[in-house]
Amino acid sequence: DIILGEQIVAPSMQRQLIADIEGGRDDQATSITTKTTNVHGDAMVVTTTSNYEQDSIVSVTDWRQRALACCGGLRAKAKEIFAPSLHNPDSPTLVLPEAVLERFVAISDIYTQCAGLLYGVKAEGIANTYEVKAVVIPPQFGSHKSVTFPTAHPPSHPALASLLPLGWIHTAPQILPGLASSSAIQHSHLVKAFPEWTQASLCVAAGIGPGSVGLSCHALNQAGLTWGESQNPDAHDESLFDQAWALTAGVHVSPSLE
């Protein structure tokens, strides 16, 4: 029963370990002799018959660092976005609005990957160029290596009726030079699961670095899609995907699509 006004303390593994150490000090009286030498060259011999300062608690929780990063660190990093330039003019180009990309990075995590589906339109008068208008964030389960979300039913909304599915975007705890094997396998599954997706669908990785965000954009070729279905990370090779160009622009996006 919960009584109003009563102080409730959640179970803690750290407090349990500390209590176990403190409770076991009187059970065993082992004599330990330690010999040390100070800066003056004097030898000191200390004999203890308790577990004092013999056991320690090591905490690996990083909640404070992650909380500080989510409060303002990710927003500051989203202001510094860069993407490598390509020398191949025939490569597809994806234009990401800065407002949408900054919002996506700000709500993500520095370690756990977050993903979203990209929807947009084809740029008028520019060949092989697409503009992102919306990012749909489905329910998902992520880790520092990959992110998964349900693919049984593609997103449907009146705001997406006039938009084309362009691919998906996900964050990464570090800036990646190429397409990771886990992202390539997930991309091949998405192309197979969504009927509207084609071989030209893109996978954008937003790598969160120490002080900036690096974009990398790739598309799997036919050999890459076949390899992704086999789920063999050892056979990952750069010849399985083609690099695309991701750009950022200060494009105004309607509030209904943010």
Side-chain angles (χ1 to χ4, degrees), residues 78-90:
K79 301 294 183 181
E80 302 293 336
I81 302 174
F82 67 92
S85 60
L86 297 179
H87 302 286
N88 187 6
D90 298 332

Side-chain angles (χ1 to χ4, degrees), residues 140-158:
Q140 54 195 267
F141 176 80
S143 64
H144 66 285
K145 293 183 178 180
S146 62
V147 57
T148 57
F149 47 88
T151 58
H153 303 284
S156 60
H157 192 272

Side-chain angles (χ1 to χ4, degrees), residues 244-255:
W245 197 5
L247 300 178
T248 58
V251 182
H252 174 71
V253 181
S254 174

